[in-house]
Amino acid sequence: MWLHTLCKNITLVQGSEGGPSIQDPRHSKPSQESDGTWLRSGVFLRWRQPAVGHDDSGEVDMIIFGPTVPLQRNFECLINRPEWRQALEDPFSLLVVVMDDLHRQVDEARAKLHEALRSAEN
């Protein structure tokens, strides 16, 4: 299974009129392969269930391209807890961690946009 996520990267700076304003997060001209105004990531998840009659729990492969730092921390915390074994029985539960991070990204973008627009309205 492939999952691609895309979230707008909103960077606020103190505007000349005293309130926050949205600034392009790119410090220099981006290459064609990279655009700092978007937070992009991709997730590949493969689950091979055990053969009938075998006691093993199968195999789970998960690769994340372009993970955010909070997402990396969340998976590091999961690895250090005994609950990680549940992922072998229900690998799609790992997607909850990914979707929680996407929700965090969207919520942060919403809050920044709200702050900039509220300032502009006053």
Side-chain angles (χ1 to χ4, degrees):
M1 180 186 120
W2 275 101
L3 173 69
H4 295 274
T5 64
L6 183 66
C7 184
K8 187 67 174 165
N9 183 8
I10 298 175
T11 303
L12 294 181
V13 295
Q14 194 63 28
S16 59
E17 298 172 8
S21 64
I22 298 172
Q23 179 186 36
D24 189 339
R26 298 173 289 190
H27 298 293
S28 62
K29 186 177 179 183
S31 68
Q32 290 181 338
E33 294 82 25
S34 174
D35 183 351
T37 64
W38 293 97
L39 301 173
R40 297 176 52 203
S41 65
V43 178
F44 172 75
L45 178 65
R46 179 172 60 180
W47 178 21
R48 287 176 294 232
Q49 295 179 328
V52 176
H54 286 90
D55 291 336
D56 68 346
S57 56
E59 295 179 17
V60 177
D61 298 320
M62 184 176 203
I63 302 171
I64 302 175
F65 301 92
T68 62
V69 172
L71 182 60
Q72 290 175 2
R73 275 192 238 124
N74 289 344
F75 274 110
E76 288 169 1
C77 289
L78 179 64
I79 289 170
N80 295 322
R81 299 182 62 164
E83 291 88 0
W84 74 266
R85 293 188 175 276
Q86 293 174 354
L88 297 175
E89 296 173 15
D90 181 17
F92 295 106
S93 65
L94 296 171
L95 295 177
V96 172
V97 179
V98 173
M99 297 308 286
D100 282 348
D101 187 63
L102 179 61
H103 181 268
R104 180 197 55 78
Q105 289 176 38
V106 170
D107 192 52
E108 285 179 5
R110 178 212 47 86
K112 290 177 182 178
L113 187 60
H114 178 262
E115 184 179 344
L117 293 178
R118 181 182 56 203
S119 166
E121 288 177 349
N122 293 332

